[in-house]
Amino acid sequence: MPEGDSLVRLADRLRPVLEGRDLVRTDFRVPQLATLDLSGRTVRAVRPRAKYLLMELCGTEGPGGTGAGTDAGGLTVLSHLKMEGRWEAYPLVDAAGQRLRPRWRHPAWQARCVLDTHRHQVVGFQLGLLEVLPTSEAARRLHYLGPDLLDPVWVDPDRAPVLRDEAVRRLQSEPARPLGVALLDQRLVSGIGNIYRCEVLLLAGLDPHRPVSSVPDLPGLIVLARDLMAVNTVAAEPGLPAPRRTTGVTRDPEAPYGVRVLSSVPPARRGAGRSREPRHWVYGRRREGCLRCGGPVTVEDLGEAGGSDRILYWCRHCQH
């Protein structure tokens, strides 16, 4: 499953080529939407919501539109990447104004949605979920989600405590649940994936098996997770995607769990050693060991049965 910061970065990449643009051709390659034509509509907004991407459209239906396109308030193209999905944009016009034939980086059979504007083609490959619904119903469709840790509201000092307290309330509603399982439940708090689950628990020194009710500072844990994710939504260098790194922290006794997340992700060092530079504390470090103490990293399944985020990395020495 993607992490919430992946969706923020994705929306940031697609927004310049879609927002305010008219769709001149659409091609939905899933059975339930195969006859739907949204050409003639304008993309009003591209925004993430937890692990979903929403493309909000306004305007009238294009020719051949059916069923889902009757809401006068607009439509929303809703997608979820799941494990393999991706959205990519390809130019249709070069600098001289000449038409280009886009060369997809993935096989055509993987395409689930093709959206053409006058200047770009945006393609969704192997999307785990793809729906088109009236925008007025989008909020109801996603009502089950807990507070989104990357909701823009978090930058508002008056409104952020409301989201934090709601996340805490939802987590506390299942006091006996293992903390490492609860953090992945998007109904309780949304946006956290397996990487951040492992990393924030290491930084907080919390055993993922301990019940939610035993966490000494649940509001602080939410803030730490939010800060760790938010810093990874910003590109370290102009024009480059943000490298996901969770090691940009410093000790601060006044911060939750004594850890303060640095305000920006330092760019990785260039050169031959770049690939060896640590990016995580425990996640994926089965062979290297815990970056904090150097001890062995335990790897086990911890999650809902049948879930894709069950593989947990944690340090028995650092986490209690």
Side-chain angles (χ1 to χ4, degrees), residues 7 10 13-14 17-18 23 25-30 33 53 55 77-82 84-90 102 104-116 120-131:
L7 273 297
L10 173 60
R13 292 198 303 272
L14 295 183
V17 302
L18 282 178
L23 297 178
R25 185 180 78 92
T26 66
D27 181 8
F28 291 90
R29 301 184 180 185
V30 293
L33 300 173
L53 183 72
M55 301 177 183
V77 178
L78 178 70
S79 61
H80 195 299
L81 303 181
K82 296 294 177 74
E84 306 295 336
R86 63 191 65 83
W87 282 97
E88 296 185 353
Y90 301 89
W104 294 353
R105 289 185 287 270
H106 308 284
W109 64 265
Q110 294 183 357
R112 302 291 182 266
C113 179
V114 182
L115 305 174
D116 284 9
H120 290 88
Q121 183 174 84
V122 175
V123 187
F125 296 97
Q126 291 188 291
L127 302 174
L129 176 144
L130 181 63
E131 299 177 6

Side-chain angles (χ1 to χ4, degrees), residues 188-245:
L188 306 180
V189 58
S190 64
I192 297 178
N194 195 32
I195 295 176
Y196 286 109
R197 184 255 301 249
C198 297
E199 295 293 282
V200 74
L201 290 179
L202 181 283
L203 288 172
L206 297 174
D207 185 326
H209 303 86
R210 66 188 300 167
V212 170
S213 60
S214 72
V215 178
D217 182 7
L218 204 50
L221 186 66
I222 295 299
V223 170
L224 177 58
R226 192 269 165 185
D227 289 348
L228 200 63
M229 294 174 65
V231 74
N232 280 289
T233 64
V234 182
E237 299 179 38
L240 294 179
R244 179 182 291 135
R245 296 179 64 200

Side-chain angles (χ1 to χ4, degrees), residues 22-305:
D22 296 333
L23 297 178
V24 298
R25 185 180 78 92
T26 66
D27 181 8
F28 291 90
R29 301 184 180 185
V30 293
Q32 66 271 26
L33 300 173
T35 62
L36 183 62
D37 182 358
L38 299 182
S39 58
R41 288 185 175 267
T42 300
V43 181
R44 179 172 56 197
V46 178
R47 61 184 183 89
R49 171 72 168 94
K51 298 183 180 185
Y52 291 88
L53 183 72
L54 295 86
M55 301 177 183
E56 298 175 356
L57 314 179
C58 58
T60 58
E61 277 191 319
T66 61
T70 59
D71 182 29
L75 298 176
T76 291
V77 178
L78 178 70
S79 61
H80 195 299
L81 303 181
K82 296 294 177 74
M83 291 298 294
E84 306 295 336
R86 63 191 65 83
W87 282 97
E88 296 185 353
Y90 301 89
L92 293 176
V93 181
D94 65 16
Q98 299 296 312
R99 299 294 294 179
L100 299 174
R101 181 181 178 86
R103 304 183 70 173
W104 294 353
R105 289 185 287 270
H106 308 284
W109 64 265
Q110 294 183 357
R112 302 291 182 266
C113 179
V114 182
L115 305 174
D116 284 9
T117 68
H118 289 287
R119 301 191 64 85
H120 290 88
Q121 183 174 84
V122 175
V123 187
F125 296 97
Q126 291 188 291
L127 302 174
L129 176 144
L130 181 63
E131 299 177 6
V132 178
L133 66 164
T135 297
S136 60
E137 296 180 9
R140 182 165 52 228
R141 169 68 175 80
L142 302 179
H143 77 283
Y144 74 95
L145 291 172
D148 183 354
L149 291 190
L150 293 177
D151 190 313
V153 168
W154 284 90
V155 303
D156 185 330
D158 295 322
R159 301 173 67 189
V162 177
L163 280 186
R164 181 201 62 204
D165 293 346
E166 174 62 14
V168 169
R169 184 191 67 78
R170 291 194 179 211
L171 287 167
Q172 289 177 334
S173 69
E174 302 191 15
R177 203 171 190 190
L179 180 60
V181 177
L183 289 179
L184 290 182
D185 190 334
Q186 302 299 295
R187 298 176 305 113
L188 306 180
V189 58
S190 64
I192 297 178
N194 195 32
I195 295 176
Y196 286 109
R197 184 255 301 249
C198 297
E199 295 293 282
V200 74
L201 290 179
L202 181 283
L203 288 172
L206 297 174
D207 185 326
H209 303 86
R210 66 188 300 167
V212 170
S213 60
S214 72
V215 178
D217 182 7
L218 204 50
L221 186 66
I222 295 299
V223 170
L224 177 58
R226 192 269 165 185
D227 289 348
L228 200 63
M229 294 174 65
V231 74
N232 280 289
T233 64
V234 182
E237 299 179 38
L240 294 179
R244 179 182 291 135
R245 296 179 64 200
T246 55
T247 53
V249 301
T250 188
R251 294 183 182 276
D252 182 352
E254 302 300 318
Y257 294 95
V259 176
R260 179 170 59 85
V261 179
L262 299 177
S263 59
S264 62
V265 178
R269 293 189 298 269
R270 301 187 183 278
R274 180 173 181 176
S275 63
R276 294 191 295 271
E277 186 168 344
R279 300 170 70 92
H280 301 121
W281 295 94
V282 285
Y283 180 82
R285 295 183 60 85
R286 181 201 301 256
R287 296 181 179 179
E288 296 88 348
C290 171
L291 188 61
R292 172 176 276 179
C293 73
V297 170
T298 298
V299 182
E300 63 181 88
D301 283 351
L302 183 66
E304 302 293 356

